Amino acid sequence: MPKDYRDWSVSCSNIKTCTTVSISGLNEMSVSTPLRGVPADVEMGWLLLEIAAGPTTAKPKIIYSAMYNSPQPTPKVGSLRIIGRDGRSLRDGDFVVTADGSGVSQLRSTDVDRFIALAQTGRAVLYSSGNSRKITSFASLSGFVAALRAIEATQGRTGTAAAWVDVGRIARERVPPAPATPRINAVAFTKLPARTNVPKAVLEGRAAECNDSERYDPGGQGIEGFSLGKGRILWSIPCGAGTYNAWSKFYLQEGRTSVIPYPFLAPERTPSDQDAHSLVNASIDPESGQISTFWKGRGIADCGTAETFTWDGTRFVLTKLLEMNACGGLTPDFWPQRVKTEVVPPAKEKR
């Protein structure tokens, strides 16, 4: 599970790629301690490090976003400056960043090791756009070292030459390799015609579990059926809606009489959970054999979860999970990935 260390959060995937990001920022999330050298009227940005597992010598990816909601395009060139506890710039603590085309700035790979070494002794990172020295945003470094330690322990780097904090004499080659990426063969399914009769058990489930007044289409049925093959039908029931989220319940029909809730399993969600058969903002794509979800923690969608479930002919497998718990300005493009798989698309039928 993601874990916070003061102003930083760490999340690692099933293949042990780890992401740590500064989470102080929006949503009343102030920095844990006052920062000398940072003007009071300067906005918070966010700093993110992505580190792949294994003994590879590939450098971590380090990106920075000055103002996630700024209408102005990201300057082609900017700078990051690391300051210490006294609010003064650290020696050799200036770094050039360039726009990477996705609305953020990226540190040059040749500067990564120097940046990480200095950031361990720093208090904050200051950002200036273009060639100016004027501070336009900042990110706190409180908790940065603890976050790196957590990643090193997860990836088996502690005490090796491949560590950044707890460096040791163990050879880099002794770091465990990254786990293999799981491979899932997707199987397409078919949407049933709108006139298909809905089983009584599905209608009873809707009446018992759903509040009709909270749905976007009160009074409407909105139920959809999907043939999964071998006599199996997945029923999707619009069940409720909030300010910017809508949720649906799912039931699996096998044969004419067996209708049971269908659970979608994920980390921290088991079949026994009351809402395991519910998905938020579900988008169903029969041709790709996938169901995607997107739960927004708040309206601007800078926190929440995005999931993809893939039908493999037997069950729906969680093949992608993006999750950002802190509402700190990150758009979904930059949310840490907890589950990653290689999905093989269904074979195209010949016509």
Side-chain angles (χ1 to χ4, degrees):
M1 292 180 61
K3 188 174 181 180
D4 297 346
Y5 300 87
R6 295 183 184 174
D7 298 336
W8 284 75
S9 179
V10 172
S11 182
C12 295
S13 73
N14 55 311
I15 59 172
K16 293 192 176 181
T17 295
C18 294
T19 302
T20 183
V21 59
S22 61
I23 58 174
S24 55
L26 303 181
N27 204 23
E28 291 78 48
M29 295 180 61
S30 60
V31 294
S32 56
T33 55
L35 300 174
R36 295 181 63 183
V38 180
D41 59 346
V42 171
E43 298 286 341
M44 292 186 189
W46 53 262
L47 180 68
L48 181 149
L49 283 74
E50 183 180 270
I51 304 174
T56 176
T57 56
K59 302 294 186 183
K61 180 180 180 180
I62 300 180
I63 59 177
Y64 182 86
S65 176
M67 291 182 290
Y68 80 98
N69 60 350
S70 172
Q72 302 299 321
T74 302
K76 292 183 178 180
V77 178
S79 64
L80 297 179
R81 187 180 353 144
I82 301 176
I83 60 173
R85 297 178 182 276
D86 59 0
R88 298 180 180 179
S89 299
L90 297 184
R91 183 178 179 181
D92 295 327
D94 284 39
F95 300 85
V96 173
V97 289
T98 56
D100 74 345
S102 61
V104 297
S105 299
Q106 184 167 348
L107 191 73
R108 295 179 299 196
S109 61
T110 52
D111 291 336
V112 165
D113 288 336
R114 177 166 63 97
F115 182 92
I116 293 177
L118 287 173
Q120 292 179 52
T121 61
R123 177 55 65 87
V125 174
L126 312 181
Y127 172 80
S128 300
S129 63
N131 296 317
S132 171
R133 295 286 288 180
K134 181 181 178 181
I135 303 169
T136 58
S137 67
F138 77 99
S140 169
L141 288 172
S142 180
F144 178 73
V145 173
L148 281 182
R149 276 202 170 103
I151 292 175
E152 291 178 357
T154 298
Q155 297 183 340
R157 298 180 183 276
T158 305
T160 74
W164 293 275
V165 179
D166 295 322
V167 183
R169 297 182 179 181
I170 302 174
R172 176 184 294 272
E173 292 70 24
R174 296 285 298 277
V175 174
T181 303
R183 183 184 176 96
I184 302 296
N185 293 306
V187 177
F189 49 88
T190 306
K191 184 176 180 179
L192 298 179
R195 63 180 180 274
T196 303
N197 291 329
V198 179
K200 180 181 178 182
V202 173
L203 296 174
E204 291 175 344
R206 174 180 176 271
E209 298 191 56
C210 302
N211 186 338
D212 190 72
S213 65
E214 294 180 353
R215 295 168 53 219
Y216 285 142
D217 60 340
Q221 179 172 294
I223 299 176
E224 295 180 316
F226 300 88
S227 174
L228 304 178
K230 299 181 180 180
R232 296 162 298 187
I233 298 176
L234 183 73
W235 294 99
S236 171
I237 308 173
C239 209
T243 306
Y244 32 76
N245 290 310
W247 53 94
S248 303
K249 303 279 188 180
F250 289 82
Y251 288 84
L252 180 66
Q253 176 185 353
E254 295 188 274
R256 293 184 177 182
T257 58
S258 176
V259 177
I260 59 174
Y262 185 86
F264 291 87
L265 306 184
E268 298 88 57
R269 188 165 70 229
T270 66
S272 60
D273 290 347
Q274 181 179 358
D275 292 325
H277 64 303
S278 295
L279 295 178
V280 178
N281 297 329
S283 175
I284 304 174
D285 184 2
E287 289 188 5
S288 70
Q290 295 185 322
I291 300 177
S292 299
T293 76
F294 181 38
W295 174 77
K296 294 192 289 185
R298 60 178 182 171
I300 61 174
D302 65 339
C303 53
T305 58
E307 300 172 318
T308 299
F309 293 90
T310 302
W311 177 246
D312 68 357
T314 301
R315 62 193 179 100
F316 281 97
V317 182
L318 179 65
T319 51
K320 185 176 182 180
L321 169 59
L322 306 178
E323 183 174 17
M324 188 65 211
N325 291 330
C327 302
L330 277 76
T331 58
D333 289 341
F334 304 105
W335 289 358
Q337 187 164 353
R338 292 187 62 190
V339 174
K340 181 178 181 180
T341 60
E342 178 188 353
V343 177
V344 180
K348 296 288 186 179
E349 294 185 1
K350 295 181 179 181
R351 297 183 178 181

